[in-house]
Amino acid sequence: MDRRDGPTYALTPLGEYVGDRFLALRDAMEIEQKLRDVWPWLPHEMPGFSVDLFADAVVSFPGPGYPYEPVERLGQLIASTSSMRGFDSIVYKSSNLETACREILNGMQFEYVFTPESLEGTFTWNPDRMLEVVACENATVLVHDHLPDGDRCGLGIVDDRAGICCHDVKTGALVAVIDTDATEAREWAISVFDQVRKEATPVDPTWDFTT
């Protein structure tokens, strides 16, 4: 599949064909290895989802003897952004809720869609704190009854990254965070969020969530 031209060798068109496909297979295997452990929680049913979108993603998954990596990664993403959009049907760990509330009260732009159950659970965590957040002009909180892939994952968009929060279906525990700065992934995440937001109902900040 190569040819000699004096002291040098060059691939024939057939050799180039085989070489291109070998490199594509190698790349596919690398992506498969990265996403293998989190595949059950990825948003297969979200419109437009593709593995290629997260080929270069950072995958935070509990390692041996250290289960906190996803929670810490999510906290880092929340604390380092000036804006956050997304949706989720699972209540975050309280440490990340506290981080999000602090950043919102400090001016972070926030648009988030909850299911009624997750919104109720979030207010149960700290009613006074959440009432402060909902009253902020920079915070928009919405409710949606049927989020896409809502039983196992949520979608988040920060300044320059898009991420997926993966949850155990039975317990609701955060099991992985996959995030990337790939432009295509962020554009996809924004398009999915925009559609969900159109279907959601804004939460009235004057409602009494404590009753």
Side-chain angles (χ1 to χ4, degrees):
M1 292 184 290
D2 57 14
R3 60 190 172 203
R4 184 174 181 178
D5 183 9
T8 62
Y9 289 85
L11 288 174
T12 64
L14 180 59
E16 292 177 354
Y17 173 86
V18 173
D20 288 345
R21 276 146 186 80
F22 174 79
L23 293 175
L25 175 62
R26 184 195 65 182
D27 291 344
M29 293 299 293
E30 289 178 354
I31 296 170
E32 188 275 338
Q33 186 176 23
K34 176 187 294 186
L35 300 179
R36 179 189 304 158
D37 291 336
V38 298
W39 179 253
W41 297 285
L42 293 183
H44 314 131
E45 297 174 13
M46 284 189 195
F49 172 76
S50 168
V51 172
D52 292 336
L53 295 173
F54 290 87
D56 297 324
V58 175
V59 178
S60 302
F61 191 73
Y66 190 71
Y68 308 111
E69 185 176 340
V71 174
E72 291 183 354
R73 178 61 178 172
L74 183 56
Q76 292 168 359
L77 293 171
I78 295 171
S80 62
T81 185
S82 64
S83 66
M84 183 176 177
R85 291 171 281 176
F87 56 84
D88 208 326
S89 63
I90 307 295
V91 178
Y92 288 141
K93 292 289 186 180
S94 60
S95 60
N96 286 328
L97 271 174
E98 182 57 46
T99 300
C101 290
R102 182 190 68 230
E103 296 303 319
I104 293 165
L105 294 172
N106 286 337
M108 179 178 75
Q109 295 295 320
F110 183 76
E111 290 183 281
Y112 219 80
V113 184
F114 297 85
T115 61
E117 296 80 8
S118 63
L119 185 63
E120 181 181 354
T122 302
F123 271 87
T124 298
W125 162 74
N126 191 329
D128 293 338
R129 191 72 155 156
M130 290 305 301
L131 286 172
E132 282 187 271
V133 165
V134 173
C136 289
E137 293 184 359
N138 53 297
T140 302
V141 178
L142 306 101
V143 179
H144 193 295
D145 289 328
H146 302 289
L147 295 176
D149 280 299
D151 63 338
R152 65 176 180 268
C153 61
L155 193 65
I157 306 154
V158 294
D159 284 347
D160 58 353
R161 304 187 73 83
I164 300 168
C165 292
C166 305
H167 304 284
D168 183 275
V169 175
K170 294 181 179 180
T171 67
L174 182 66
V175 295
V177 173
I178 301 108
D179 64 275
T180 178
D181 62 358
T183 301
E184 296 83 359
R186 195 170 184 279
E187 290 175 349
W188 165 77
I190 290 172
S191 69
V192 175
F193 170 78
D194 285 346
Q195 183 59 44
V196 169
R197 193 188 190 288
K198 288 178 183 178
E199 301 168 354
T201 302
V203 171
D204 187 336
T206 64
W207 290 351
D208 185 357
F209 296 93
T210 62
T211 59

